[in-house]
Amino acid sequence: MSKIAPRILVTGASGQLAQALRRVAAEKSVVIHVLGRPGFDFAEVPSMRKALEGSRPSVVINAAAFTSVDQAELEREQSEICNSIGVKALAEQCRELKIALVHVSTDYVFDGNLGRAYLESDRPAPLNQYGASKLRGELAFAQSGVRGVVVRTAWLFSDLGVNFLTRVLSQARVQNELRYVSDQVGSPTCAYDLAEVLLAFAEKLAAGWTPTGGGIFHAAGDSSASAFDFALACVRLANEEFRMDAHVVPVRTADRPVIAQRPADSRLCSDQLAAILGLRLRPWQTWLPSLISRALSDPRM
Ligand SMILES: NC(=O)c1ccc[n+]([C@@H]2O[C@H](COP(=O)([O-])OP(=O)(O)OC[C@H]3O[C@@H](n4cnc5c(N)ncnc54)[C@H](OP(=O)(O)O)[C@@H]3O)[C@@H](O)[C@H]2O)c1
């Protein structure tokens, strides 16, 4: 296989993952073209075609999605357009134009009842509209015949935008007591580590690689946690370094009603990814000190 510099188009410009991709690509001197709405909008199929024909990428990394899990229950049509119908159109257009596709999906395609970390071969059974729409997106990707991969990730955090980590820190600045659920576990994943994985897949695809099997890979951090564990570790570090005085109280799922039901244990096993790319995503604990320093030093926070 020849080594060709990929022409990479990333969707979802303002999102956490696209911003992480921008930073990681710049560090690696990889040129990427990043597009957001209105230039690329799942609700406007012609905008997608124009974006693909305009930038003529060899690979698209689809980081755009309807990601609010509770809001998806209330805006079912919008979540469907973004996570399923739009993905179908994107995958079909990529196939027609011979563009490879790296599509991002979620641990929420699983119901969380397995009792061990999920493998790619385990049966999806989403509990909520967000997970169901993302699963329909995966199926549309498979049916389109596009060359590419679906990368399932989980509990994304970084110092960019609104996410798990920045939400905890913002709360800790204004509240003494934070309450986080302790009986749901997952695999917190740093958006920068995921960006490395997506760029590695893009390079492989640009070089002509075609995945065997379904082309689904799990890419999640190498350590699990509950939201309580994660928030507690963040707050301890923030208290120490920035003289804050917040504390975190564990609550049970049953005592914290939300609109959408979440899986109790959606840990992902990423061994297959390690075998194919030789990459492992670092445990969330190793990322916290640097990200918390960066986030709390940012005057916009
Ligand atoms: N965040 C997590 O914890 C998590 C966990 C598992 C999997 N994932 C997956 O990881 C991927 C990236 O997530 P993220 O955290 O970066 O999400 P994010 O910060 O919410 O960004 C989502 C992006 O999608 C864009 N978007 C929304 N509706 C659109 C539409 N109709 N057409 C085009 N773009 C649209 C948004 O644009 P606007 O700013 O214009 O709205 C935004 O730029 C998604 O596939 C998500 O499902 C995320």
Side-chain angles (χ1 to χ4, degrees):
M1 271 188 265
S2 57
K3 176 109 177 142
I4 301 164
R7 292 186 313 281
I8 301 172
L9 173 67
V10 175
T11 65
S14 61
Q16 172 184 205
L17 181 57
Q19 289 182 60
L21 274 158
R22 242 192 245 270
R23 202 176 282 180
V24 172
E27 281 164 14
K28 292 176 165 299
S29 303
V30 174
V31 178
I32 61 172
H33 182 49
V34 187
L35 258 188
R37 291 195 274 186
F40 181 99
D41 189 340
F42 281 124
E44 297 289 334
V45 174
S47 77
M48 289 197 246
R49 186 79 184 196
K50 207 169 150 200
L52 296 178
E53 288 179 342
S55 50
R56 280 266 153 206
S58 46
V59 186
V60 170
I61 299 177
N62 180 30
F66 190 109
T67 55
S68 171
V69 177
D70 288 319
Q71 205 58 27
E73 301 295 326
L74 306 172
E75 295 181 43
R76 299 180 85 85
E77 198 183 333
Q78 276 312 309
S79 62
E80 211 55 45
I81 287 172
C82 244
N83 297 345
S84 164
I85 299 166
V87 173
K88 178 178 188 307
L90 175 64
E92 286 172 353
Q93 291 183 19
C94 283
R95 188 207 57 229
E96 276 168 41
L97 297 169
K98 300 198 174 357
I99 298 166
L101 179 58
V102 178
H103 174 61
V104 183
S105 193
T106 174
D107 55 334
Y108 277 22
V109 298
F110 296 114
D111 64 13
N113 294 326
L114 195 61
R116 61 157 169 78
Y118 282 92
L119 305 173
E120 289 80 353
S121 53
D122 287 321
R123 194 179 64 85
L127 295 178
N128 54 44
Q129 164 62 15
Y130 168 70
S133 64
K134 293 291 285 185
L135 179 60
R136 284 189 279 275
E138 291 187 6
L139 297 174
F141 174 102
Q143 281 162 6
S144 73
V146 69
R147 186 170 64 88
V149 289
V150 170
V151 179
R152 289 190 189 131
T153 192
W155 297 32
L156 279 185
F157 67 91
S158 68
D159 55 334
L160 304 162
V162 179
N163 63 74
F164 199 12
L165 177 93
T166 55
R167 205 174 298 121
V168 170
L169 296 177
S170 305
Q171 284 178 353
R173 280 207 146 144
V174 293
Q175 285 167 231
N176 272 125
E177 187 180 289
L178 278 57
R179 301 164 78 79
Y180 276 90
V181 168
S182 58
D183 57 356
Q184 282 171 29
V185 286
S187 306
T189 305
C190 179
Y192 295 115
D193 273 348
L194 179 64
E196 292 227 14
V197 165
L198 302 179
L199 290 173
F201 272 127
E203 280 178 1
K204 253 178 117 56
L205 288 161
W209 172 71
T210 301
T212 50
I216 295 180
F217 294 90
H218 288 175
D222 217 6
S223 172
S224 61
S226 67
F228 168 75
D229 299 329
F230 188 91
L232 184 65
C234 291
V235 163
R236 279 189 177 149
L237 282 165
N239 283 349
E240 258 168 46
E241 203 179 325
F242 289 84
R243 295 175 191 280
M244 288 162 61
D245 189 24
H247 68 282
V248 190
V249 177
V251 291
R252 299 180 59 79
T253 301
D255 299 327
R256 186 92 199 236
V258 280
I259 301 170
Q261 194 187 345
R262 268 84 166 158
D265 178 359
S266 61
R267 288 170 296 147
L268 297 179
C269 170
S270 305
D271 288 353
Q272 201 170 305
L273 180 90
I276 198 111
L277 291 182
L279 282 176
R280 276 204 178 275
L281 287 76
R282 279 160 276 189
W284 57 273
Q285 296 91 332
T286 60
W287 275 103
L288 288 194
S290 61
L291 292 183
I292 288 174
S293 283
R294 229 147 68 188
L296 287 176
S297 308
D298 185 337
R300 289 165 302 178
M301 246 214 76

